[in-house]
Amino acid sequence: MADILSLVFRTFMSQSDLKKDVKVITPSPTTCSTLVVGDHSLSRSVLLLASVIAAAEMGIKVMFFTQTQIQSLPPSLQRCVPNLSPESLKKIKFSYPRTVEELLQQVASLHEPTNTSPTPPSLIIVDRLESFLSGPGGSSQSGFHPGERSCAAHIAALLCDTAAFLTQVLEQRGSSSAPCRIIASFLSEVNAGGDPSGTDPILDVLDRYFQVRCTLDQDSGYEATAAAVQEVWHIYLSGRGITDPSFTEDYNDRPGVAQEWKLFIFPDGLMEFKLV
Amino acid sequence: YPCDCVGANRPRNDDCEKTYSKGMEVRCSSLLQLKFVFGSCALQALDLVDQHSVTCLTAPSGRKAFQVTGGSGRLYTCFLSCHYCPCPAFAYSVLRRNDGLVCKHILAVYLSQAMAATQQESVSDQQMSLLLSGTMDP
């Protein structure tokens, strides 16, 4: 998934950065699951961008799970994705499970022939994991799951195991769409409360299963005003799944070094990424 | 087990070469290493293997999962490619306290595979989906 995120950032790079040699992370089993951590509305936009780029530019089938209906696509897409056509958008299947149980059932059934024919999905997206986990099925009141941590582990492990199986199917069929990637978004209650030193036990559980973390961090300085944009965000890619050779060359003693981007959001909703 | 090295209150002999044979030979020293790494979980897992408690379920789609019969008779569904078990010990010792990497059920799966002691069973695609989601209470 980190390779698709890198492609999203490159697609929406500022004009002045287009000539720079931006290394795209090549997909490997260790980069196939990414957790986007941060603001809801921005992470949803990033997930939608990822799904459309994957379907339109890479031609892969996408499963997008979310509790809330998608009303519209980010304005950036209209301008910056030349191959955006109804046909390519048909490769994205949206599903709206209402509870964590429904999400588990739908992800668990992705191996069935109705979902793998004619082609299995190569990208599975889950928007706002925390809203599924905080529902009735994810709480300690559930008869099956002893608690939120176990529920978080269940859905994360199921996503990873499903992706591993679908990767096998794609490879057996000789598909160029392998491996199957996962991206999920999660807003930590601890970080949302503004305490940078706090730890979120659910995030700790999810980190066991997701190899890459994509952190969205809003810039609270004056750069937004200076750049005449509405918002400025810092985006960090980190975790054990980052295997960019340029980093291992210079930072041998620092495993999991982040790849950093800056995101500018203009008043009209357009987004522009800049490699830091 | 072949001798008293494992579990007994006496000096441990790391070079003990006595073997334990049940399907395949396992050296006592290997069992000691297992106990050193996994603690009491190792013996409990070996007991599960001895009782043929691990079954590999296969669906027509090709999807697989492991099902382990716990000490109480309850069935636990574990995944092929990553660690998860719905048992209370996994939730508490692994996820909450970070005391260990696996519970006895997951360890039993690894040992059972290594010792060729896994049972095989076929299920339908729909049954597999229900087991993976935890909707079907085994």
Side-chain angles (χ1 to χ4, degrees):
Chain A
M1 184 52 230
D3 62 317
I4 294 182
L5 278 180
S6 294
L7 183 56
V8 169
F9 302 155
R10 265 200 332 171
T11 303
F12 295 93
M13 267 174 78
S14 63
Q15 294 296 314
S16 59
D17 284 351
L18 278 174
K19 292 178 186 171
K20 286 186 185 172
D21 180 25
V22 178
K23 291 183 175 58
V24 176
I25 298 168
T26 50
S28 70
T30 55
T31 59
C32 289
S33 58
T34 301
L35 190 67
V36 178
V37 179
D39 175 75
H40 282 149
S41 129
L42 179 59
S43 63
R44 188 179 175 97
S45 295
V46 169
L47 297 188
L48 283 168
L49 289 176
S51 60
V52 172
I53 294 286
E57 300 285 319
M58 299 170 72
I60 65 178
K61 185 173 164 185
V62 181
M63 280 296 312
F64 196 115
F65 295 100
T66 178
Q67 279 183 322
T68 50
Q69 295 270 342
I70 307 285
Q71 302 293 343
S72 61
L73 296 175
S76 313
L77 280 175
Q78 311 297 332
R79 240 191 243 185
C80 296
V81 183
N83 299 330
L84 188 60
S85 65
E87 211 47 50
S88 57
L89 289 179
K90 278 183 191 171
K91 289 191 169 73
I92 308 173
K93 182 177 175 186
F94 291 96
S95 185
Y96 302 102
R98 290 165 298 176
T99 63
V100 70
E101 281 88 4
E102 284 186 20
L103 176 62
L104 285 165
Q105 287 162 14
Q106 291 179 22
V107 173
S109 67
L110 286 178
H111 73 102
E112 295 182 18
T114 47
N115 291 308
T116 57
S117 297
T119 51
S122 296
L123 175 59
I124 303 171
I125 293 181
V126 182
D127 180 33
R128 295 192 59 181
L129 260 181
E130 78 284 352
S131 63
F132 286 107
L133 294 172
S134 62
S139 72
S140 55
Q141 289 144 12
S142 164
F144 183 77
H145 296 288
E148 278 187 342
R149 286 182 224 229
S150 185
C151 192
H154 190 181
I155 186 60
L158 180 60
L159 284 166
C160 291
D161 196 63
T162 300
F165 170 75
L166 293 176
T167 297
Q168 232 177 19
V169 173
L170 288 163
E171 287 172 350
Q172 281 166 1
R173 295 184 189 179
S175 168
S176 57
S177 303
C180 179
R181 304 151 171 96
I182 300 202
I183 179 171
S185 68
F186 180 82
L187 178 62
S188 168
E189 283 181 2
V190 171
N191 291 331
D195 177 13
S197 64
T199 55
D200 186 330
I202 302 300
L203 197 50
D204 287 344
V205 169
L206 295 175
D207 276 343
R208 291 171 178 265
Y209 300 96
F210 289 88
Q211 285 99 0
V212 176
R213 188 192 286 198
C214 175
T215 305
L216 310 175
D217 187 27
Q218 188 163 16
D219 190 305
S220 53
Y222 296 103
E223 189 167 1
T225 309
V229 297
Q230 187 163 330
E231 292 170 16
V232 178
W233 291 79
H234 296 274
I235 300 178
Y236 310 96
L237 291 178
S238 60
R240 62 188 183 278
I242 295 293
T243 55
D244 189 337
S246 68
F247 288 105
T248 55
E249 220 171 74
D250 299 325
Y251 302 97
N252 277 330
D253 297 327
R254 295 165 59 186
V257 172
Q259 190 175 27
E260 187 176 344
W261 295 76
K262 205 172 268 190
L263 167 63
F264 298 93
I265 301 179
F266 294 89
D268 59 359
L270 283 181
M271 297 163 78
E272 198 172 86
F273 293 87
K274 188 182 176 67
L275 182 64
V276 175
Chain B
Y1 296 108
C3 61
D4 292 330
C5 286
V6 178
N9 290 327
R10 61 179 68 190
R12 213 178 72 189
N13 178 4
D14 287 341
D15 297 322
C16 180
E17 289 296 318
K18 287 186 186 172
T19 57
Y20 165 63
S21 179
K22 196 149 188 179
M24 65 179 277
E25 284 196 342
V26 180
R27 275 206 301 246
C28 181
S29 53
S30 298
L31 297 178
L32 284 169
Q33 288 165 357
L34 210 57
K35 186 170 183 251
F36 179 75
V37 173
F38 294 103
S40 58
C41 187
L43 295 181
Q44 295 167 331
L46 286 166
D47 280 341
L48 290 175
V49 174
D50 276 350
Q51 292 155 27
H52 302 287
S53 300
V54 180
T55 303
C56 178
L57 306 173
T58 306
S61 66
R63 189 78 188 262
K64 294 178 192 280
F66 290 105
Q67 197 169 66
V68 184
T69 308
S72 57
R74 184 173 174 140
L75 296 174
Y76 298 103
T77 304
C78 300
F79 298 125
L80 240 70
S81 63
C82 53
H83 292 170
Y84 171 75
C85 182
C87 75
F90 184 82
Y92 184 70
S93 299
V94 178
L95 297 181
R96 189 181 172 92
R97 289 182 56 87
N98 212 20
D99 275 349
L101 296 169
V102 294
C103 62
K104 63 183 179 185
H105 308 109
I106 296 173
L107 184 56
V109 168
Y110 280 114
L111 294 173
S112 189
Q113 292 285 88
M115 296 166 74
T118 309
Q119 313 294 310
Q120 301 290 331
E121 191 175 312
S122 297
V123 296
S124 68
D125 284 336
Q126 290 74 25
Q127 283 175 315
M128 177 62 76
S129 299
L130 292 172
L131 285 166
L132 293 172
S133 65
T135 307
M136 175 190 276
D137 188 355

